[in-house]
Amino acid sequence: MIGTSLPKIDSYAKVTGAAKYADDLTLPRMAHGRILRSPHPHARILRLDIARARAHPGVLDVITAADLPRRYGIMPTTQDEYPFALDTVRYVGEPVAAVVAVDEETAEEALDLIEVVYAPLPTVSTIEEALAREDIRLHDTTKRGNIMKEVHLDFGDVDEGFAQADLVREDTFFFEGTTHAPMEEHSCVADCRPDGKITLWTSTQTPHYVHREVAKVLEIPRSRLRVIVPPVGGGFGGKCEPFAHDFAAALFALRHGRPVKFTLSREEVFYCHRGRHPVKMILKTGVKRDGAITAVHLQTFLDGGAYASYGLATVYYTGALLTVTYKIPRYKFDGMRLYTNKPACGPKRGHGSTQPRYAFECQLDKIAEQLGLDPAAYRKQLAIEPYSTTVNGLRVTSCGLVECVDKVVEASRWRERRGRMPAGTGLGIAISSYVTGAGKAIYWNDMPHSGVIVTIDRGGGVAVLCGSSDIGQGSDTMLAQIVAHELGIALLDIRVYTGDTDLTPVDLGSYSSRVTFMAGNAARAAATKLRALLFEAAAAHLGVPAERLTAADGRIHLADDPATGLAFAEAAQLAEAAHGTLSAVGSYTPPKLGGEFKGAGVGISPAYSYTACVAQVAVDPDTYDLRVEKLWVAHDCGRALNPTLVEGQIEGSAYMGFGEAVLEEQVFRKGLHKIPSLLEYKLPTIYDTPEIVALTVETHDHEGPYGAKEAGEGPLNPIIPAIANAVYDAIRARVDSTPITPDKIARALKERQRPLPAPARPHGAPTPIEVMPL
Amino acid sequence: MPKQLMTFQVNGETREVAASPTHTLLEVLREELDLTGTKHGCELGHCGACTVLVDGEPVLSCLLLAVEAQDAAITTVEGLARDNNTLHPLQLAFAERGAAQCGYCTPGFLVSGVSLLTRTTDPSRDEIKDALSGNLCRCTGYTKIIEAVELAATRMRETQQPVPSSRSRRNRP
Amino acid sequence: MMRLPKFEYRAARTVAEALEWMGEFSSAADKDPQAHAMLMAGGTDVLPNMKHRVFTPQVVVGLRGVAALRGIAYDPEHGLRLGAGVRLSELAASPIIRARYPALARAAEVISTPQLRQMGTLGGNLCLDTRCNYYNQSEFWRKARDYCLKRGSEICRVAPNGTGCYAVSSCDTAPVLIALGATARIASRAGDRILPIADLYHDDGIHPVRLHDGDVLTDLYVPSPPGDWRSTYEKYRVRGAFDFPIASVAAVARFDGAQCADVRLVLQGVATRPLPLPEVEALLRGQPWTPDLLDAAAELGYKAAHPMDNTAGTIALRRRIVRAYIRRALDALIAPSVIH
């Protein structure tokens, strides 16, 4: 069961069209909502008149900030948003009002009848502008200008480290913002029973956080609100917090005792965003002649958009995880997140670690070249030891980094092919690491991060309840497989109920790659308790010691004599007779980790995954078109509980990383998203996506369930620098910003004064060491 | 716009509904016929999530007026399973190969894929890509989807699955 | 879900019926500017534009049921007759077109996606509205940007000091049909007329197609190619599917030994209309097909293209593609793969 590639338990509903996503839900008398959004990137609202909209035939309600005047925000200390703009709008697309009507067309018509008078304000739209224009302030809560958060952390004396170095490089990189673009547009349905209890079905990765925030803003006890997560059509970090439509739907249902649905258009999904931060990075690294790192100093500047979202965590994440891959004795990090008049950035797959990892891996490639080292061997040489502690106090346990490098080097035939590639083609390598769950909840508390209830009925059916949210990664199946494994039954005997705040114990949500590790451990704990009860009852019945029993194939039997035993359902009945109703809880709380400094709560994790990637690219000599031909990705997931699903996560991450490296970018003009559509924001098609070879490395982490770590996010991180490094190998010119477009390649070649195609370098020819003067 | 009575041949059944003449087939399938298996990700023809078969060929239900689809045989994801509960080999392969992650693009991929497998049970990888090039997936990197089509094709060849002609599909999808 | 605006749908059975209905509105439009009817074939351009409220017709006349608009017929003497309602997928798959007019089959094959090609028609593609990043946006977006010259404003957002609209002609079949010397039959209440496809377009991004409101494009005629004509269509787009051309080149040529006896080149995706390149053709005609000549031709074509910053791809990229793809197309004309 564990380690077996079983079909996901929700597969059959998904391949028959039976799975009901939020927008598929219909309730009797259901009304429909639409949202009026700001056309200005920055403006005061002078007047907001909803009288005409209210009077429009078919309109049932109009909701504005006057109805929901309570501030919220996903991070408790940076709450800077209102569901609907109170008196100022700060980005194009910011919700201003919601109309609920008998149908969507009527609601849409009524949006035009809302009269809003704006007084436009000057805007800031880039990191540089946000820094320079302290006179234009988005929020009066900032201490200085538009600096939402500033972080300065020192671990050891980096100046001493740079002084000891033989080579010090300082490079500047820019990582462009990208968005999640899940195929499902955000959607929710809310209803309210006559007794005043609200149910909100919403497409979210974090039902628990939505539960907290919606109840808070509506000023109702949390016990009166039930949040249910239907199947979610993709998230990637974009559905990790409540949105205006959630608040509006819940309020409408409460006021009118009538259901309502809000489904956003694709364009509105672009305005909701919360995606990858654009980050400017200045990275300084000192190395000895043999390549050993003496010190690293990283400065990051995050373009956060108009609101905080998860940005407080993001800015810390841009610094925290740089240290978990290589031996770094001294480290200094300065981070800064800035407000700009654009949709808020937030977490996207690889949250905050993707951008600096890109910078670091590109810089290491430059260092390897200067020192005449093979980039793959160099990474192995630098690799952190398993079961060690990083300079910033992160506890590393299992680490398959070296194995990952070996696997991609072997699979890509790196040693044989690198340096002998045809003109205009190249190979590049990069590695990375990622958390297996954040060590702290977003609101600090001492409660478990995940809880699971398992119950057994008299017929042998098993129910598994957990507050987690399956967004396609297969977390429901993971829970079922673990319980099935412990109880020796088939997946079909198990029903999994997740993401329902009335019925399921809290799980913090599908973010930071935490569910397999945390909910998996909780499920295992619950199932193990029940198994003990079953064994005890079965042992008494069979007259054998419980220690000799095992659970397999729907039976409880002697491990060394399968004939002596009884059916699972029979054992369940005996156990229920002996112990009462069969139900057990399990929960998981991460160990206390990390240092004592401010900010030590970000980056800690019970385990880290490791990944290596080799990319093969070709650059067209006439058009400078970049074609990524193949990606080899080896990922240390600890243990693959379901190998097919792990491969799927690696492949999906590789695809998404490829998109960010080559095609995707958020583009704004005068504060307006230039391309808010799936035609012009370029998601890779099946033709564009490279061939992806997913390789699994198993290190059997001693704290993970059956040794498992994460697989959902980490494999994205090395893809982008591997492609960037391969581009350098192909054209001998560097593009130090993403995405790597034909124009940037053209510019890089022009700057190097080297036209394509560059002749293939003779294999084994020494690269001169150009040690930069200190 | 007042609704008007429309008749559709959907998944082998004749369905009569009152629908707005300005509504697309997507809206009518989902909102009048309760066939919510057909999804939407943009409503502008940019994603392929709303793909259905019309007379056996994949088209976008978001860009087809329902009134214009009345004379045709429409197959949605709900109609791919034969008889009662026998899934199409491609549906099984999608489940087994993990080709449906979030599952939201899956119905569109399935109908595009079934259309291909109806034409040939021995498609090359390029033919598979051609057939699925109008469907976006954000989860899988397409890898498992391609593998699932290949697995279904192999099984269909092995079992000599009779390929229904477009005429017979008109009656029984 | 994005919804269509309100409109009345009428399904035409015959061209005459379509003409009659369109006529009703083109005369009514003088009195009531809101009165406005549009023809719709496959709907793949009209309906998204309606959802974006850049088209808001009162009546949509559907051509789907007009049998006379269908059919592909070829005879060596008269050449090819294509009904305007022929689906792009039919065009791409037609054995006779693949054999005799490979560039046309290629152009159809690289349009958007299989689903769109199954729905879209040749006539619809030829009448595709010009495209621009400031125009192909929702009502909300365009309003936030104060609209554009093509729809709703006096000012072009691409070139605020310019005099016209720079929306881009993006249909893939037009440049090929122009290069092949095709003609179009247009039905109107005054009678039918035939004009070269090249004359169907003029340099006006707002009204790119020279059809009157009551006109129906019914047939396309492509002359029979003498045996030694070769043709190709080279399209560059950002992604392998979905995307309109960043720039593309249709090229048709006939060789007399090593010399170019005749050649026609048309660029697409870089101007408000398909852009013929007579100077480049003159440079090539009668000359031996040498690499230096082809380079010079590509350079001359590059100078003729002046795209604006209004589609995917930067100006620099689009111009670079023009040069590279002219060269690519000229190379392809003598490559064995295009000789059928």
Side-chain angles (χ1 to χ4, degrees):
Chain A
M1 182 61 68
I2 293 298
T4 309
S5 290
L6 295 166
K8 289 199 301 176
I9 58 172
D10 54 0
S11 295
Y12 297 102
K14 286 178 173 174
V15 300
T16 54
K20 293 276 185 193
Y21 297 75
D23 190 52
D24 301 338
L25 303 174
T26 303
L27 294 171
R29 295 178 70 233
M30 189 168 78
H32 295 266
R34 296 290 297 154
I35 292 174
L36 180 74
R37 292 175 187 273
S38 165
H40 296 283
H42 199 189
R44 298 282 296 176
I45 298 174
L46 299 180
R47 206 167 97 83
L48 175 57
D49 185 349
I50 59 172
R52 280 177 67 216
R54 259 189 196 287
H56 190 61
V59 169
L60 302 170
D61 206 348
V62 180
I63 294 165
T64 67
D67 304 286
L68 292 167
R70 198 64 217 262
R71 231 179 240 264
Y72 81 100
I74 192 68
M75 306 295 282
T77 58
T78 58
Q79 307 221 334
D80 60 1
E81 269 188 273
Y82 295 89
F84 296 94
L86 190 61
D87 48 19
T88 305
V89 290
R90 298 181 176 88
Y91 67 94
V92 175
E94 179 163 357
V96 172
V99 172
V100 179
V102 290
D103 57 40
E104 217 174 344
E105 279 109 327
T106 306
E108 184 81 37
E109 280 167 16
L111 292 183
D112 287 341
L113 304 176
I114 297 175
E115 195 191 333
V116 194
V117 179
Y118 296 96
L121 296 167
T123 64
V124 292
S125 56
T126 62
I127 293 165
E128 290 74 17
E129 274 178 15
L131 281 170
R133 296 298 303 269
E134 292 194 4
D135 56 317
I136 306 168
R137 282 179 76 179
L138 271 72
H139 294 272
D140 54 18
T141 49
T142 49
K143 288 195 195 95
R144 180 158 72 85
N146 290 300
I147 300 170
M148 178 243 164
K149 178 73 187 174
E150 219 176 321
V151 180
H152 302 285
L153 296 172
D154 273 292
F155 307 98
D157 185 346
V158 290
D159 292 334
E160 181 191 47
F162 291 129
Q164 289 173 12
D166 295 315
L167 166 64
V168 177
R169 273 204 74 99
E170 184 176 291
D171 295 287
T172 302
F173 297 91
F174 180 69
F175 197 106
E176 184 55 276
T178 62
T179 200
H180 321 82
M183 294 315 297
E184 179 202 27
E185 300 146 324
H186 300 38
S187 178
C188 73
V189 173
D191 196 6
C192 188
R193 297 196 322 215
D195 61 7
K197 287 190 176 169
I198 306 169
T199 304
L200 174 66
W201 292 263
T202 185
S203 179
T204 183
Q205 300 173 236
T206 52
H208 174 60
Y209 296 150
V210 170
H211 192 208
R212 281 170 58 91
E213 291 302 298
V214 172
K216 188 189 83 185
V217 169
L218 263 60
E219 297 179 323
I220 54 170
R222 245 184 279 165
S223 57
R224 309 266 171 84
L225 173 67
R226 176 184 187 183
V227 176
I228 299 178
V229 186
V232 176
F236 316 108
K239 297 174 180 170
C240 280
E241 49 194 296
F243 292 92
H245 51 272
D246 294 313
F247 298 108
L251 179 64
F252 176 86
L254 180 66
R255 274 186 182 169
H256 299 266
R258 174 172 183 173
V260 60
K261 181 193 286 183
F262 281 80
T263 299
L264 303 191
S265 70
R266 176 55 59 183
E267 182 179 358
E268 290 178 285
V269 174
F270 276 93
Y271 299 144
C272 285
H273 189 48
R274 320 277 149 167
R276 184 91 68 215
H277 285 72
V279 183
K280 183 178 175 183
M281 293 159 287
I282 301 166
L283 181 58
K284 187 174 174 185
T285 300
V287 294
K288 302 295 283 184
R289 196 164 284 270
D290 67 358
I293 294 171
T294 59
V296 176
H297 179 200
L298 170 67
Q299 291 169 267
T300 64
F301 301 86
L302 288 74
D303 179 348
Y307 291 98
S309 179
Y310 281 81
L312 179 69
T314 318
V315 65
Y316 277 110
Y317 265 124
T318 61
L321 297 184
L322 208 67
T323 57
V324 292
T325 53
Y326 302 123
K327 288 174 275 225
I328 298 173
R330 300 169 194 84
Y331 179 53
K332 180 174 162 68
F333 168 63
D334 301 298
M336 184 184 280
R337 185 179 188 268
L338 297 143
Y339 283 126
T340 55
N341 292 110
K342 295 186 290 193
C345 296
K348 184 182 169 195
R349 207 174 202 168
H351 191 190
S353 71
T354 304
Q355 302 95 326
R357 177 55 56 186
Y358 154 76
F360 200 21
E361 293 297 312
C362 290
Q363 189 181 60
L364 279 179
D365 227 52
K366 301 181 190 191
I367 290 172
E369 187 186 32
Q370 279 184 268
L371 297 179
L373 302 170
D374 172 79
Y378 182 39
R379 285 171 169 85
K380 282 170 68 178
Q381 174 197 328
L382 291 178
I384 198 165
E385 299 288 337
Y387 300 95
S388 58
T389 302
T390 67
V391 67
N392 57 339
L394 303 179
R395 183 199 71 166
V396 172
T397 56
S398 60
C399 170
L401 177 54
V402 169
E403 294 92 319
C404 288
V405 173
D406 285 341
K407 275 216 169 182
V408 291
V409 162
E410 189 184 339
S412 65
R413 297 177 50 242
W414 171 271
R415 287 192 206 90
E416 298 86 337
R417 297 170 65 223
R418 187 157 188 279
R420 296 178 194 169
M421 299 286 288
T425 65
L427 291 177
I429 192 168
I431 62 95
S432 69
S433 175
Y434 196 63
V435 295
T436 300
K440 291 278 184 198
I442 58 163
Y443 65 102
W444 286 26
N445 67 82
D446 295 326
M447 291 176 280
H449 287 211
S450 194
V452 169
I453 299 171
V454 180
T455 68
I456 306 178
D457 83 9
R458 294 176 186 179
V462 171
V464 182
L465 285 70
C466 177
S468 56
S469 164
D470 195 325
I471 55 171
Q473 81 278 42
S475 57
D476 284 3
T477 305
M478 177 276 299
L479 293 169
Q481 273 187 261
I482 286 177
V483 173
H485 178 80
E486 292 301 330
L487 299 181
I489 55 177
L491 285 190
L492 257 185
D493 297 322
I494 294 178
R495 299 281 184 280
V496 176
Y497 300 93
T498 52
D500 181 334
T501 59
D502 259 19
L503 302 179
T504 62
V506 166
D507 173 272
L508 294 178
S510 284
Y511 68 96
S512 81
S513 272
R514 48 176 300 288
V515 184
T516 293
F517 200 98
M518 299 195 184
N521 271 327
R524 189 184 192 182
T528 311
K529 285 181 194 168
L530 281 178
R531 193 183 60 185
L533 299 181
L534 294 172
F535 281 11
E536 195 184 315
H541 179 76
L542 295 168
V544 299
E547 304 81 61
R548 285 181 59 201
L549 290 171
T550 191
D553 304 321
R555 283 167 50 79
I556 310 284
H557 59 76
L558 284 174
D560 50 9
D561 176 15
T564 304
L566 70 174
F568 179 79
E570 202 182 332
Q573 288 163 20
L574 291 168
E576 187 174 336
H579 303 287
T581 299
L582 290 179
S583 181
V585 297
S587 56
Y588 178 80
T589 309
K592 175 145 181 25
L593 296 165
E596 293 298 326
F597 57 93
K598 191 168 188 296
V602 179
I604 53 169
S605 176
Y608 298 90
S609 73
Y610 288 88
T611 319
C613 171
V614 166
Q616 178 180 321
V617 307
V619 176
D620 186 295
D622 303 318
T623 62
Y624 307 130
D625 222 24
L626 170 58
R627 174 100 196 135
V628 180
E629 295 174 333
K630 198 163 179 177
L631 296 167
W632 294 265
V633 191
H635 180 69
D636 163 21
C637 65
R639 172 117 187 256
L641 303 183
N642 183 320
T644 294
L645 300 191
V646 169
E647 282 172 23
Q649 289 304 304
I650 298 173
E651 289 157 1
S653 294
Y655 148 89
M656 197 167 267
F658 157 74
E660 295 192 55
V662 179
L663 288 171
E664 298 178 32
E665 60 183 316
Q666 292 276 90
V667 186
F668 293 87
R669 262 196 202 137
K670 298 191 176 172
L672 185 58
H673 196 300
K674 189 182 160 192
I675 47 172
S677 77
L678 293 186
L679 181 64
E680 298 300 346
Y681 182 90
K682 305 293 185 185
L683 308 192
T685 72
I686 201 167
Y687 288 130
D688 311 300
T689 305
E691 184 184 346
I692 300 163
V693 180
L695 305 160
T696 305
V697 168
E698 297 194 320
T699 49
H700 296 266
D701 188 83
H702 70 288
E703 288 179 35
Y706 313 95
K709 299 191 286 189
E710 73 90 33
E713 301 185 59
L716 183 145
N717 280 350
I719 309 298
I720 301 153
I723 290 171
N725 291 337
V727 168
Y728 176 74
D729 191 46
I731 66 172
R732 313 309 293 168
R734 283 276 171 191
V735 175
D736 283 341
S737 69
T738 67
I740 306 170
T741 61
D743 280 345
K744 289 182 188 171
I745 290 174
R747 210 174 306 133
L749 285 168
K750 203 172 172 191
E751 277 164 18
R752 295 277 314 227
Q753 298 288 310
R754 281 200 206 172
L756 259 183
R761 295 182 311 293
H763 183 63
T767 315
I769 301 179
E770 302 160 17
V771 176
M772 282 163 61
L774 292 174
Chain B
M1 288 286 132
K3 288 187 172 186
Q4 68 185 56
L5 213 53
M6 299 184 201
T7 307
F8 299 97
Q9 304 298 319
V10 189
N11 300 328
E13 295 171 0
T14 302
R15 299 286 301 271
E16 198 173 60
V17 290
S20 164
T22 68
H23 276 190
T24 59
L25 180 60
L26 171 69
E27 290 162 284
V28 172
L29 287 173
R30 290 178 52 82
E31 294 165 5
E32 310 294 346
L33 293 165
D34 203 23
L35 291 168
T36 55
T38 300
K39 304 304 184 202
H40 57 98
C42 71
E43 303 98 70
L44 292 167
H46 304 159
C47 78
C50 68
T51 306
V52 298
L53 301 183
V54 168
D55 291 333
E57 297 293 342
V59 302
L60 298 174
S61 61
C62 76
L63 297 185
L64 179 59
L65 292 181
V67 284
E68 294 196 315
Q70 291 187 94
D71 300 327
I74 299 158
T75 306
T76 69
V77 67
E78 290 93 343
L80 295 180
R82 285 145 213 257
D83 302 322
N84 293 320
N85 243 337
T86 315
L87 298 188
H88 188 281
L90 188 60
Q91 291 174 298
L92 285 172
F94 260 62
E96 289 172 33
R97 292 306 302 141
Q101 283 190 23
C102 85
Y104 199 79
C105 70
T106 304
F109 271 97
L110 284 169
V111 295
S112 291
V114 165
S115 169
L116 169 73
L117 292 172
T118 305
R119 289 196 299 276
T120 171
T121 54
D122 194 12
S124 67
R125 195 156 265 220
D126 282 345
E127 284 175 304
I128 294 172
K129 287 187 180 181
D130 288 346
L132 303 181
S133 60
N135 295 79
L136 292 177
C137 171
R138 196 61 166 159
C139 292
T140 62
Y142 305 102
T143 310
K144 296 271 180 274
I145 292 174
I146 294 170
E147 287 172 18
V149 175
E150 288 174 340
L151 177 63
T154 305
R155 285 185 181 157
M156 287 170 77
R157 286 199 305 276
E158 282 167 359
T159 57
Q160 299 284 303
Q161 195 91 42
V163 175
S165 74
S166 58
R167 185 154 292 283
S168 69
R169 249 200 335 276
R170 206 174 261 271
N171 301 320
R172 172 154 289 291
Chain C
M1 173 153 3
M2 289 195 90
R3 311 274 177 175
L4 289 163
K6 290 188 169 69
F7 63 95
E8 181 195 339
Y9 176 77
R10 296 188 194 174
R13 299 277 151 201
T14 61
V15 172
E17 202 169 39
L19 288 175
E20 190 188 316
W21 288 337
M22 293 301 290
E24 257 177 54
F25 281 86
S26 50
S27 44
D30 299 337
K31 299 183 205 89
D32 175 9
Q34 294 303 307
H36 174 45
M38 287 191 82
L39 294 168
M40 183 173 86
T44 57
D45 190 40
V46 170
L47 294 181
N49 283 343
M50 285 176 67
K51 287 183 179 182
H52 275 158
R53 307 305 193 259
V54 293
F55 294 169
T56 47
Q58 199 174 37
V59 168
V60 170
V61 176
L63 297 173
R64 189 175 287 263
V66 181
L69 298 179
R70 301 195 192 114
I72 298 174
Y74 175 77
D75 73 75
E77 194 184 334
H78 299 99
L80 189 64
R81 179 261 163 191
L82 300 163
V86 166
R87 311 239 155 234
L88 296 166
S89 54
E90 288 176 69
L91 205 58
S94 157
I96 190 70
I97 296 175
R98 294 180 78 87
R100 296 280 166 182
Y101 307 91
L104 183 57
R106 180 69 188 154
E109 193 173 68
V110 295
I111 291 169
S112 191
T113 65
Q115 292 94 318
L116 260 295
R117 296 194 291 275
Q118 181 61 31
M119 303 170 79
T121 65
L122 174 60
N125 189 249
L126 290 170
C127 295
L128 184 82
D129 195 16
T130 48
R131 301 187 58 82
C132 175
N133 275 343
Y134 293 87
Y135 173 69
N136 298 102
Q137 300 279 6
S138 70
E139 173 75 16
F140 167 81
W141 195 100
R142 290 180 295 111
K143 194 175 173 186
R145 202 69 177 75
D146 282 342
Y147 299 102
C148 76
L149 182 61
K150 187 165 162 72
R151 175 80 194 191
S153 166
E154 299 300 311
I155 297 166
C156 168
R157 301 293 158 193
V158 182
N161 300 321
T163 51
C165 164
Y166 295 92
V168 175
S169 177
S170 305
C171 51
D172 290 285
T173 54
V176 174
L177 287 175
I178 292 169
L180 290 169
T183 54
R185 175 185 291 273
I186 291 149
S188 72
R189 281 188 302 164
D192 288 7
R193 64 186 193 277
I194 289 183
L195 77 165
I197 300 280
D199 293 350
L200 203 55
Y201 302 99
H202 56 162
D203 201 4
D204 177 358
I206 299 177
H207 302 291
V209 183
R210 292 166 85 162
L211 292 179
H212 303 296
D213 244 4
D215 289 349
V216 179
L217 177 63
T218 58
D219 309 84
L220 293 307
Y221 303 97
V222 194
S224 189
D228 55 355
W229 276 94
R230 295 166 186 179
S231 70
T232 188
Y233 182 64
E234 302 287 334
K235 172 179 178 175
Y236 180 93
R237 48 184 163 172
V238 176
R239 300 178 295 178
F242 289 100
D243 292 348
F244 289 97
I246 292 284
S248 64
V249 183
V252 176
R254 189 161 53 82
F255 292 95
D256 183 4
Q259 284 191 344
C260 168
D262 200 0
V263 62
R264 289 182 212 135
L265 281 172
V266 182
L267 291 179
Q268 181 63 314
V270 292
T272 53
R273 63 185 170 108
L275 200 64
L277 294 173
E279 302 87 356
V280 183
E281 292 167 2
L283 179 76
L284 292 166
R285 210 169 280 131
Q287 299 296 318
W289 211 245
T290 62
D292 284 351
L293 179 72
L294 303 194
D295 281 344
E299 194 60 32
L300 198 56
Y302 172 81
K303 285 178 182 148
H306 302 287
M308 307 291 283
D309 181 17
N310 59 348
T311 68
T314 58
I315 294 172
L317 171 73
R318 290 163 75 192
R319 297 197 69 204
R320 195 162 61 242
I321 297 301
V322 165
R323 178 160 51 197
Y325 273 54
I326 290 175
R327 183 62 216 261
R328 204 161 281 193
L330 297 177
D331 275 338
L333 288 177
I334 50 166
S337 62
V338 296
I339 301 169
H340 289 273

